[in-house]
Amino acid sequence: MTDERRHVSDEEYGLLDTDEADAPGDEWEELDVSDTEADRIARRRDREFDEFRKRIKDADQFKVEASVFDDATFGALYKLVQDGHIDAFGGPISTGKEANVYTALAEDAEVAVKVYRINASDFKDMRGYLDGDPRFEGIGSDKKKVVTAWVRKEASNLERARRAGVRTPEPIAVERNVLVMEYLGTDAGRAKRLSEVHVENPETAYGVVREYVRRLYDAGLVHGDLSEYNVVFHEGQLYVIDLGQAVTVHHPNAEEFLERDCRNVANFFARQGVDADPDDLLAYVRDHATPADDEDTAPDDEDVPDSATDLTEE
């Protein structure tokens, strides 16, 4: 364990109350992939927009390749500034093959701005999550349409997970290939992933994550990439992040993705000394979730952790 690993304690974390969802698992939001205001701004290219584009492009923290910040992406950022969702940009939080994430200020709050790449993405890694998802029918292989739908899908998945009682970043605004959402972090930096911290009581943490998997499935969602890299600590609570690839239970690979999520979660906590087994976790989720209807099959209160034990930060 390196010096960069952090110990979390002296905070409590627990589960949220859930909100009832209508026909969980049986509905999905139609995604609009038509031209957005950002596309129209990029075509219009007025003087004010050109000045904004130059200011952002020349800023040190945005000296990145054109595959991330094409003209229409600048248009999307310009529109988000005009609408009051962004006031000033900060630095990068993370970079990846599909997206970069930056901090920004909005009024008096700090937000996260996730910018999906369009020009450089071939979406080979995304294809397994797109094919078979009814929200992507008819989109084909048009990169702009795929990314636009993917970003709106991520915002929709975040909202759906939050309604189910799973802590996630709150989505704030979507414009073309840009998603503005709640920033999970402090002045010291972004919230740390499970892979980056030492949990004083992993049994309780496992109980919370196990319940999150169940709640997602009960709401008709499967994360699809859940592991110690997509669960973070923020203000003493556990949050699930990166729901862009999450699929509905109608997806042809939903059960395979669920099994993989359970395997990743159980194996991680088993390495922390918890009596966690992938098959047991999968059985728990399936026994206590009914994604096809709104029947309440939540486990008994004694099976669900109310609050966690102490976690500390070194």
Side-chain angles (χ1 to χ4, degrees):
M1 192 174 299
T2 68
D3 292 338
E4 294 181 356
R5 294 283 295 246
R6 290 155 50 110
H7 295 258
V8 180
S9 68
D10 296 332
E11 297 282 348
E12 288 191 348
Y13 61 92
L15 293 166
L16 294 166
D17 292 334
T18 61
D19 293 331
E20 291 295 331
D22 295 331
D26 289 335
E27 81 291 348
W28 47 78
E29 179 181 327
E30 183 177 349
L31 300 172
D32 183 4
V33 295
S34 59
D35 274 5
T36 67
E37 182 64 19
D39 295 288
R40 292 187 283 274
I41 288 172
R43 288 195 293 269
R44 191 166 65 240
R45 295 287 297 278
D46 59 22
R47 178 180 297 179
E48 184 180 352
F49 168 64
D50 280 342
E51 291 175 356
F52 170 82
R53 179 180 180 276
K54 185 177 186 302
R55 186 169 68 251
I56 295 297
K57 192 172 184 179
D58 290 345
D60 288 340
Q61 66 265 43
F62 294 102
K63 288 186 182 297
V64 293
E65 66 272 25
S67 64
V68 180
F69 286 84
D70 61 6
D71 281 349
T73 298
F74 284 116
L77 295 171
Y78 180 75
K79 179 66 163 54
L80 290 165
V81 170
Q82 294 267 315
D83 290 346
H85 298 300
I86 299 173
D87 288 339
F89 288 93
I93 300 173
S94 64
T95 60
K97 291 185 297 182
E98 285 87 24
N100 290 358
V101 185
Y102 302 88
T103 59
L105 288 179
E107 296 182 347
D108 295 327
E110 195 166 12
V111 297
V113 180
K114 191 170 189 177
V115 182
Y116 274 94
R117 303 165 186 263
I118 291 182
N119 295 339
S121 299
D122 58 17
F123 302 105
K124 290 180 181 177
D125 293 338
M126 293 183 175
R127 205 71 248 177
Y129 301 102
L130 302 180
D131 294 337
D133 190 321
R135 295 175 290 186
F136 287 88
E137 289 179 359
I139 292 177
S141 58
D142 183 293
K143 288 183 178 180
K144 181 256 178 182
K145 290 183 177 180
V146 169
V147 173
T148 300
W150 186 276
V151 176
R152 293 185 178 278
K153 173 193 175 193
E154 180 164 12
S156 175
N157 288 343
L158 288 169
E159 284 286 6
R160 192 164 182 172
R162 289 169 64 83
R163 290 198 304 269
V166 177
R167 284 187 171 89
T168 70
E170 179 183 2
I172 297 170
V174 174
E175 185 64 47
R176 193 180 184 261
N177 58 318
V178 180
L179 169 63
V180 181
M181 58 188 163
E182 176 186 6
Y183 172 63
L184 302 183
T186 65
D187 292 341
R190 63 166 175 81
K192 296 297 182 179
R193 300 179 176 92
L194 271 178
S195 61
E196 299 171 316
V197 300
H198 172 74
V199 184
E200 296 293 342
N201 192 329
E203 289 85 0
T204 307
Y206 173 64
V208 172
V209 177
R210 181 183 69 169
E211 178 63 10
Y212 280 175
V213 177
R214 187 201 71 81
R215 289 184 178 187
L216 285 173
Y217 191 63
D218 200 46
L221 280 180
V222 176
H223 187 285
D225 193 30
L226 192 62
S227 71
E228 63 270 26
Y229 302 102
N230 290 321
V231 179
V232 302
F233 283 106
H234 176 59
E235 296 182 344
Q237 305 292 342
L238 291 172
Y239 282 72
V240 177
I241 62 172
D242 294 337
L243 271 80
Q245 76 292 319
V247 300
T248 71
V249 293
H250 307 282
H251 191 283
N253 296 327
E255 292 304 308
E256 176 187 343
F257 293 159
L258 176 63
E259 292 172 9
R260 185 173 65 192
D261 285 352
C262 291
R263 184 168 60 250
N264 289 341
V265 169
N267 287 344
F268 169 76
F269 281 103
R271 293 194 296 272
Q272 313 308 307
V274 178
D275 183 15
D277 177 80
D279 291 337
D280 291 344
L281 175 54
L282 183 63
Y284 172 85
V285 172
R286 287 177 171 163
D287 288 348
H288 296 96
T290 54
D293 57 46
D294 58 0
E295 180 184 352
D296 183 11
T297 55
D300 295 334
D301 288 343
E302 60 265 23
D303 295 329
V304 179
D306 272 334
S307 61
T309 66
D310 300 286
L311 303 168
T312 77
E313 208 172 83
E314 259 188 359

